[in-house]
Amino acid sequence: MTMKTRASAAFNRYALTYSSPCPLRGEITYTIDNTAHTEVFYLDAGENKVFSSYIDVYLDGKTADAGDICITFERIPGDDTVVSGELSVPAECTFDTAPVYAKETYYFENERYRVGVELAWGGGLSCIIDKRCTVPGLGNLLNHFDTGRLVQQSYYGTSEPPYVMGEFMGNRWCYNPVQGGDRGNNKSKLIECRIGENEI
């Protein structure tokens, strides 16, 4: 299913209201500096659901151009969910400009600890420093060498068909999405972020 709409002004966030009896894969195509850009998103099944997301280059401080937008939806390949209803074209599609948290890492600290949250890697923890530590050269206590090493959400799943096992460092690897990104250090998709005085 394809939906055509229009953004009346530049934007860095979009929101969809939709209904679907099964999970969906979506693609939204817009332009940045007159060059087409397509990004992928996923929707849960449900009635009158709302999904919103920053555009992929949000953390770079960029905005998409005003103009025509194309959004496509399809069932996720291999999903054998029994469908009794029909996909509803989004009742509403909105575009706006959210404040940009331009830094990739945000820190909180008190008299004892400094904690870093890596926005570019899905909000995983990338830094904990104990300010009272007297061991020379011991700073950040967290390994943040790549996207898989953060303190983060990590899900282990099936290795059974139809899932096709991947390979990592010569080993077969089961389904294992993590918060930070993929094994190539590609960033995860940031869909929402709120930073307050004492919380992220």
Side-chain angles (χ1 to χ4, degrees):
M1 174 179 289
T2 299
M3 171 186 171
K4 303 279 188 181
T5 187
R6 186 170 180 80
S8 60
F11 65 95
N12 64 6
R13 179 170 58 188
Y14 57 94
L16 302 167
T17 303
Y18 70 95
S19 295
S20 175
C22 61
L24 298 170
R25 178 185 186 276
E27 288 188 357
I28 181 169
T29 301
Y30 50 81
T31 59
I32 297 176
D33 298 329
N34 295 314
T35 300
H37 179 79
T38 299
E39 63 183 68
V40 175
F41 59 91
Y42 294 89
L43 302 177
D44 292 328
E47 293 292 321
N48 297 315
K49 302 275 285 184
V50 176
F51 170 81
S52 67
S53 177
Y54 299 123
I55 62 174
D56 286 348
V57 291
Y58 163 82
L59 284 176
D60 298 327
K62 295 184 178 181
T63 57
D65 305 333
D68 295 332
I69 309 293
C70 179
I71 306 173
T72 61
F73 307 92
E74 66 177 2
R75 289 189 61 171
I76 296 172
D79 180 12
D80 57 1
T81 304
V82 175
V83 175
S84 59
E86 292 296 323
L87 168 66
S88 171
V89 172
E92 183 179 26
C93 184
T94 60
F95 306 93
D96 69 351
T97 303
V100 177
Y101 298 108
K103 293 188 290 187
E104 293 193 346
T105 309
Y106 273 81
Y107 295 93
F108 287 111
E109 56 189 309
N110 59 21
E111 66 281 350
R112 178 70 189 267
Y113 297 105
R114 186 171 198 233
V115 177
V117 176
E118 199 76 18
L119 297 186
W121 285 355
L125 298 181
S126 61
C127 178
I128 296 179
I129 295 172
D130 183 348
K131 295 179 178 179
R132 295 182 188 171
C133 178
T134 59
V135 178
L138 186 61
N140 185 0
L141 301 174
L142 297 183
N143 182 340
H144 60 284
F145 178 75
D146 59 43
T147 59
R149 314 261 180 156
L150 310 174
V151 176
Q152 63 184 319
Q153 297 177 65
S154 176
Y155 300 93
Y156 280 89
T158 185
S159 59
E160 301 298 320
Y163 178 72
V164 178
M165 291 185 71
E167 177 274 329
F168 184 65
M169 296 181 67
N171 299 306
R172 296 181 70 216
W173 209 263
C174 66
Y175 181 72
N176 178 216
V178 298
Q179 186 174 349
D182 70 13
R183 67 182 185 176
N185 281 333
N186 294 303
K187 302 173 184 179
S188 59
K189 183 174 180 60
L190 186 67
I191 63 170
E192 182 67 37
C193 180
R194 291 181 300 276
I195 299 178
E197 184 177 350
N198 295 306
E199 66 179 5
I200 292 182

